[in-house]
Amino acid sequence: MIEKINKLKKELNAVILAHNYQRAEVQQIADFVGDSLELARKATQIDADYIVFAGVDFMAETAAILNPDKTVLIPSKTASCEMARYLTPEIIHEYKKKYPNAQVVLYVNSTAACKALADITCTSANAVKVVNSLDSDTILFGPDSNLAHYVAERTTKNIVPMPPNGHCYVHTNLTVENVRRDGVLMVHPECPPELQNVADVIASTGGMVKYVAKSKEKRFIVATERDMVARLKHDYPDREFLPAWDNAICLGMKQITLESIYNSMKEKKYVVTVPEDIANKAKKAIERMLEVS
Ligand code: CIZ
Ligand code: SF4
């Protein structure tokens, strides 16, 4: 399968981008592995005709928005992010009416239609910086209420979570009761505040990679999607990494397999498209983020 994928990749002039939460074998065949911000950046620097996106829908949409002249393929139609479902354009309009002077910051884990209504997007790696770059004192922040809490603790601005209960089922289940704590505890800001409070470090997945690089510790507990451990083990084979909880699995991410990647290239499916008016507006919010961070 790996040989077949590499052969097709050459024929199509394709690159494979994989998120840190992908299966270990998918990470291994990818040309580039990273968090969504790193992948968004990479997508704009690539010289290729096809981008095969091994990640979930909103990430592939972002790659398509930033690369209108390339064909972006997502290998599975069901690779979706549950968190993104918490927010709709209707909810944003409602909040904007209620808070007419507020600015809208959307976590990249949101649909393109929502991003089109945002002043700026953010990731978990740059959320605080993005919020502090804005003029308004009140920020409508969605869809993750846990990331909103994390930002609220680190800014003087008034952060309004939009909606109040948006979350990721994978990270919400990483509770103080569920997780092991027998090593340096690295916690993702999508986790509940109670777990953030006992963390040795709170970081995005990209932030975790950087933290380990600077640390002298040998054993790390990784409180985010379980396959982040594969990424860390690959980069730091001399250290020990353990998932904080074995069941922290993002089913959307796991829809992508070597076989689906092969079929995706062979049949040139599924092409990711975003309506032009939405893409143009969303692009402004994404590019503003790329400038700030
Ligand atoms: O921004 C991303 O890639 C996500 C979803 C998590 C992270 O912290 O990298
Ligand atoms: Fe979405 Fe959660 Fe999966 Fe991340 S881990 S892609 S937030 S469902």
Side-chain angles (χ1 to χ4, degrees):
M1 194 48 89
I2 292 171
E3 267 173 35
K4 276 161 63 177
I5 288 173
N6 284 332
K7 191 163 166 257
L8 257 186
K9 216 168 72 176
K10 272 200 197 119
E11 278 171 32
L12 291 182
N13 188 26
V15 290
I16 301 175
L17 303 182
H19 190 264
N20 289 328
Y21 296 161
Q22 287 292 298
R23 298 165 187 273
E25 66 270 22
V26 171
Q27 295 192 24
Q28 275 160 23
I29 55 116
D31 296 289
F32 190 78
V33 184
D35 64 21
S36 61
L37 177 64
E38 292 163 342
L39 296 177
R41 277 229 169 82
K42 199 73 197 170
T44 64
Q45 299 157 357
I46 285 170
D47 176 24
D49 295 320
Y50 288 88
I51 295 173
V52 182
F53 208 103
V56 289
D57 44 12
F58 74 82
M59 299 177 178
E61 273 184 351
T62 303
I65 289 166
L66 293 174
N67 294 276
D69 51 350
K70 293 175 191 133
T71 303
V72 177
L73 300 175
I74 187 158
S76 165
K77 270 197 162 161
T78 50
S80 57
C81 169
E82 291 297 316
M83 180 197 282
R85 291 171 193 244
Y86 278 92
L87 198 57
T88 61
E90 291 70 34
I91 296 175
I92 300 176
H93 286 307
E94 231 175 76
Y95 272 75
K96 275 186 162 183
K97 245 190 236 157
K98 218 164 137 192
Y99 299 91
N101 296 324
Q103 282 173 298
V104 175
V105 177
L106 288 197
Y107 193 24
V108 284
N109 300 36
S110 52
T111 63
C114 286
K115 286 191 182 86
L117 300 172
D119 289 286
I120 187 167
T121 61
C122 76
T123 70
S124 39
N126 60 24
V128 176
K129 215 172 172 184
V130 162
V131 163
N132 286 337
S133 77
L134 299 174
D135 301 327
S136 179
D137 286 334
T138 301
I139 305 293
L140 305 177
F141 190 102
D144 188 12
S145 56
N146 290 325
L147 184 61
H149 170 89
Y150 171 83
V151 173
E153 299 249 290
R154 288 159 181 84
T155 182
T156 53
K157 293 186 191 288
N158 176 28
I159 305 291
V160 180
M162 170 181 70
N165 61 337
H167 66 273
C168 160
Y169 69 98
V170 180
H171 288 84
T172 307
N173 276 319
L174 289 164
T175 58
V176 176
E177 296 76 44
N178 280 345
V179 310
R180 61 190 302 156
R181 310 248 305 260
D182 50 346
V184 178
L185 181 61
M186 301 196 291
V187 172
H188 196 277
E190 286 176 27
C191 293
E194 297 74 32
L195 191 67
Q196 294 186 27
N197 289 341
V198 298
D200 292 308
V201 57
I202 308 172
S204 67
T205 60
M208 288 180 187
V209 173
K210 288 185 190 129
Y211 180 81
V212 175
K214 280 197 206 141
S215 166
K216 289 191 171 61
E217 300 287 338
K218 287 284 176 218
R219 185 182 164 93
F220 298 85
I221 310 302
V222 184
T224 186
E225 212 279 341
R226 203 182 64 176
D227 274 323
M228 179 60 199
V229 164
R231 164 72 204 262
L232 290 164
K233 276 185 179 162
H234 172 270
D235 284 19
Y236 307 104
D238 59 325
R239 319 278 187 101
E240 194 183 355
F241 300 99
L242 296 162
W245 187 50
D246 281 339
N247 296 329
I249 299 169
C250 173
L251 295 175
M253 287 282 176
K254 302 303 118 123
Q255 300 301 311
I256 316 276
T257 58
L258 289 183
E259 199 173 359
S260 69
I261 289 175
Y262 172 71
N263 288 331
S264 165
M265 285 195 283
K266 197 169 125 214
E267 290 164 33
K268 302 199 181 62
K269 69 179 187 187
Y270 300 94
V271 177
V272 181
T273 53
V274 180
E276 206 180 316
D277 54 329
I278 288 181
N280 287 340
K281 287 183 193 152
K283 193 173 181 191
K284 279 195 193 134
I286 297 165
E287 282 178 340
R288 192 169 176 190
M289 164 185 78
L290 293 174
E291 275 162 29
V292 169
S293 53

